[in-house]
Amino acid sequence: MTKDSEHLDLAKLQRRLAEFAAARNWQPYHTPKNLVAALSVEASELVEIFQWLTPEESARVMADPDTAHRVTDEVADVLAYLLQLCEVLGIDPLAALDAKIDRNERRFPVPGDCEARPGDCEARPGDCEA
């Protein structure tokens, strides 16, 4: 975490994004459909940076300052559109993520920790055998 990011939170960033759009009268264009499309485009631009890299090269992508800058910018674009989408749809992104992790922990328990009820565990066969 950088020194500047210690004072940031999602709600503040969402307000800044909303104010930025309002000052430019962009709200009519920030429909769920348009925001999802823009999110997809920005995610694709992030994928493009990694597309032909080997796994080893992708692990070192932040070592090159120019590439690191591009990756950081695309991550910011993806996050900006995701936060704007959440704002428009009334989704609390942190609560949504917390609930999703809870569901995934139940669906995919640690090997050997499955409950006795068959069907509760969606882990791979053999993961739930003690």
Side-chain angles (χ1 to χ4, degrees):
M1 185 178 285
T2 66
K3 184 185 261 186
D4 292 335
S5 67
E6 292 175 9
H7 303 292
L8 298 176
D9 63 56
L10 288 182
K12 181 179 179 180
L13 292 172
Q14 283 178 299
R15 282 192 303 278
R16 286 187 65 199
L17 288 166
E19 290 167 1
F20 182 88
R24 290 151 182 82
N25 197 30
W26 289 352
Q27 306 98 313
Y29 308 106
H30 286 191
T31 64
K33 178 192 78 68
N34 288 349
L35 291 170
V36 168
L39 175 61
S40 175
V41 168
E42 295 301 339
S44 294
E45 290 178 6
L46 182 59
V47 169
E48 184 180 27
I49 296 168
F50 291 87
Q51 185 173 9
W52 302 114
L53 300 180
T54 66
E56 295 78 18
E57 290 169 334
S58 72
R60 294 187 310 269
V61 74
M62 299 305 283
D64 175 65
D66 290 335
T67 306
H69 179 74
R70 289 176 52 218
V71 169
T72 301
D73 273 358
E74 295 306 336
V75 166
D77 288 342
V78 168
L79 183 57
Y81 280 115
L82 182 59
L83 291 177
Q84 290 174 88
L85 178 66
C86 288
E87 180 73 19
V88 166
L89 295 177
I91 296 170
D92 177 337
L94 294 180
L97 179 57
D98 187 53
K100 182 66 174 185
I101 293 169
D102 287 346
R103 285 192 306 276
N104 283 343
E105 287 174 339
R106 288 189 302 275
R107 288 178 62 201
F108 306 104
V110 174
D113 285 352
C114 289
E115 307 242 331
R117 297 183 310 206
D120 277 358
C121 179
E122 294 182 31
R124 293 181 308 266
D127 281 354
C128 297
E129 296 169 8

